[in-house]
């Protein structure tokens, strides 16, 4: 297997820039998800790694080898797309054996690997049946097994589970993760589904409008988003981001959310230091719905709000609050007693709040994990 390095890779189609100055280092045996909304450049990035598209600028490297201009057949990549790519006129066994036959591997090795892969993919009972007789779910399993069996240098998967039904998708997710670990396979996985990316990947490359927004572990992407795009894109419901004015109070600084006059949030030392350093009068104040809690006391770091709407979704209650001019969401256990129209007092854990630049949305309080810089 191999590492993949993209350096300042760009792709333009006419005067449209699909991928803009992308830097990415995927380590050997790492599982990386490329995540972003439709049209953000995920597939184009993947195609440049595969050799299907040539970058307009920049370089692609596998380990120390330059592959920027190498044709796709010579790169040793395997790929699986949304629509299963199998030979329907062949049996399941023939499909699984195909890549190994092309590579002229010895017959006993082919037989052994085919049987192992069939067992892993729960297709053993289907081995000698025509692949055209498989269900859609089984066909995609076969497509994945068929590519994985040759243990390509890099395994590229572009939305491979999106055509499958929900229950099967979950099963396939854990199978894929297992397969990647067993084979120590370098995998790059394109998806627009954050749950898939968060559950599968060692690291996630979040893209928007052709640009890499953040490349980090799922945990870091969730708890230390680099900007308002990542903060809003990851997490469901997404992070509350409201305008806040900065006001001094004694020795401290306060963030006045929306037009709240009396009730403000006192910034902690780290937040205050950034604001002072940049002499900011206004910021975007971010807090996840999960850190919103209710309190009976009108102490510090609390403010009043009205419950506008309560939605019960599975085991959770998603509560829509309004406080002055700001609207925000909170997430609670299903058992929480809270109903629309109620006046409540909100408490926020300031240490878990984020300050973003009011103009360009970059996180001002980002603490980088040294392992993932
Ligand atoms: P999706 O999730 O919808 O597949 P994506 O993030 O994979 O989206 P890409 O397929 O990489 O996005 O496309 C990025 C942008 O580049 C889109 O606006 C697309 O229309 C454009 N694009 C891609 N390929 C071409 C092409 N061959 N010619 C012109 N424009 C293209």
């Amino acid at each position: 297997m191999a590492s993949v390095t993209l350096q300042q890779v760009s792709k333009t189609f006419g005067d449209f820039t699909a991928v803009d100055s992308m830097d990415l280092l995927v380590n050997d045996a790492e599982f990386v998800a490329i995540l972003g909304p439709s049209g953000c450049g995920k597939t184009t990035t993947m195609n440049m790694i595969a050799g299907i598209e040539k970058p307009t600028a920049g370089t692609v490297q596998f380990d120390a080898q330059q592959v920027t201009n190498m044709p796709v057949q010579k790169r040793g990549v395997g790929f699986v797309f949304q629509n299963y790519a199998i030979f329907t006129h062949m049996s399941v066994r023939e499909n699984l054996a195909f890549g190994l036959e092309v590579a002229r591997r010895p017959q006993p090795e082919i037989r052994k690997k085919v049987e192992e892969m069939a067992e892993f993919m729960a297709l053993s009972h289907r081995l000698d049946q025509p692949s055209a007789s498989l269900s859609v779910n089984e066909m995609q399993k076969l497509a994945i097994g068929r590519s994985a069996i040759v243990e390509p240098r890099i395994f590229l998967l572009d939305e491979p589970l999106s055509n499958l039904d929900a229950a099967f998708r979950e099963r396939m997710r854990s199978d894929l993760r297992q397969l990647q670990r067993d084979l120590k396979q370098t995998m790059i996985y394109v998806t627009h589904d954050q749950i898939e990316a968060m559950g599968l990947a060692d690291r996630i490359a979040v893209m928007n409008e052709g640009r890499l927004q953040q490349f980090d572990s799922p945990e870091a992407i969730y708890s230390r988003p680099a900007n308002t795009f990542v903060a809003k894109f990851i997490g469901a419901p997404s992070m509350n981001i409201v305008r806040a004015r900065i006001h001094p109070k004694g020795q401290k600084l306060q963030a006045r959310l929306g037009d709240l006059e009396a009730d403000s949030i006192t910034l902690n030392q780290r937040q205050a230091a950034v604001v002072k350093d940049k002499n900011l009068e206004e910021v975007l104040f971010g807090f996840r719905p999960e850190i919103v809690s209710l309190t009976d006391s009108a102490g510090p770091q609390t403010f009043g709000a009205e419950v506008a709407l309560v939605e019960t979704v599975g085991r959770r209650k998603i509560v829509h609050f309004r406080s002055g001019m700001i609207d925000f969401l909170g997430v609670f256990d299903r058992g929480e007693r809270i109903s629309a129209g109620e006046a409540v007092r909100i408490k926020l854990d300031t240490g878990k709040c984020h300050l973003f630049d009011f103009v360009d949305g970059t996180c001002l309080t980002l603490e980088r994990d040294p392992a993932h810089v």
Side-chain angles (χ1 to χ4, degrees), residues 120 151 175-185:
F120 183 80
E151 299 184 27
D175 282 0
L176 258 181
R177 190 67 177 124
Q178 190 64 45
L179 190 73
Q180 189 267 340
R181 288 210 173 114
D182 288 355
L183 300 177
K184 298 193 173 45
Q185 178 76 65

Side-chain angles (χ1 to χ4, degrees), residues 13 16 18 37-44 53 159:
F13 297 105
F16 176 74
S38 182
C40 72
K42 304 182 293 293
T43 297
T44 307
E53 295 277 9
E159 306 262 9

Side-chain angles (χ1 to χ4, degrees), residues 118-129:
E119 192 176 335
F120 183 80
M121 289 286 174
L123 288 171
S124 299
H125 61 298
R126 300 285 231 164
L127 261 179
D128 294 306
Q129 294 177 7

Side-chain angles (χ1 to χ4, degrees), residues 37-281:
S38 182
C40 72
K42 304 182 293 293
T43 297
T44 307
T45 302
M46 187 77 116
N47 287 347
M48 290 191 284
I49 297 171
I52 297 167
E53 295 277 9
K54 240 187 190 176
T56 317
T59 58
V60 182
Q61 228 174 283
F62 291 175
D63 288 334
Q65 185 185 22
Q66 275 293 341
V67 297
T68 316
N69 295 310
M70 187 183 280
V72 57
Q73 318 80 272
K74 296 210 169 150
R75 292 196 185 196
V77 294
F79 30 87
V80 175
F81 301 106
Q82 188 170 341
N83 296 314
Y84 43 84
I86 56 169
F87 298 121
T88 45
H89 62 285
M90 289 183 181
S91 69
V92 171
R93 184 187 297 279
E94 286 163 340
N95 265 288
L96 285 175
F98 185 81
L100 299 169
E101 298 275 5
V102 170
R104 298 185 190 284
R105 304 306 305 163
Q107 283 305 318
E109 178 192 325
I110 296 180
R111 209 169 310 117
K112 181 166 176 282
K113 284 196 163 167
V114 164
E115 275 162 20
E116 281 171 1
M117 185 57 79
E119 192 176 335
F120 183 80
M121 289 286 174
L123 288 171
S124 299
H125 61 298
R126 300 285 231 164
L127 261 179
D128 294 306
Q129 294 177 7
S131 49
S133 68
L134 300 181
S135 68
V136 170
N137 290 347
E138 287 172 326
M139 283 196 194
Q140 190 62 322
K141 267 206 290 196
L142 178 57
I144 291 170
R146 186 175 167 273
S147 289
I149 202 167
V150 294
E151 299 184 27
R153 288 174 86 188
I154 322 285
F155 198 3
L156 306 172
L157 300 107
D158 193 345
E159 306 262 9
L161 309 184
S162 51
N163 280 351
L164 309 180
D165 55 67
F168 187 73
R169 214 181 305 151
E170 240 168 70
R171 165 83 205 285
M172 273 310 288
R173 256 190 243 148
S174 65
D175 282 0
L176 258 181
R177 190 67 177 124
Q178 190 64 45
L179 190 73
Q180 189 267 340
R181 288 210 173 114
D182 288 355
L183 300 177
K184 298 193 173 45
Q185 178 76 65
T186 311
M187 268 197 196
I188 306 179
Y189 188 101
V190 161
T191 181
H192 63 268
D193 178 346
Q194 54 160 308
I195 302 203
E196 218 161 81
M198 298 293 269
L200 279 170
D202 297 315
R203 282 192 292 170
I204 302 175
V206 184
M207 290 185 74
N208 187 37
E209 295 181 345
R211 286 185 159 268
L212 182 65
Q213 304 291 313
Q214 188 167 4
F215 185 36
D216 239 321
S217 67
E219 209 285 312
I221 296 259
Y222 178 81
S223 56
R224 299 192 293 279
N227 56 40
T228 45
F229 174 81
V230 178
K232 284 224 153 255
F233 193 72
I234 302 288
S238 65
M239 187 184 284
N240 299 297
I241 296 180
V242 300
R243 192 176 176 152
R245 288 198 161 275
I246 304 294
H247 288 267
K249 186 166 187 202
Q251 295 296 307
K252 307 223 167 190
L253 287 181
Q254 289 194 323
R256 207 169 267 179
L257 311 187
D259 67 346
L260 291 180
E261 286 300 324
D263 304 315
S264 300
I265 300 294
T266 303
L267 300 184
N268 67 20
Q269 257 183 353
R270 191 164 58 83
Q271 294 161 341
V274 175
V275 168
K276 265 190 203 145
D277 186 47
K278 295 189 184 276
N279 210 8
L280 300 172
E281 291 178 354

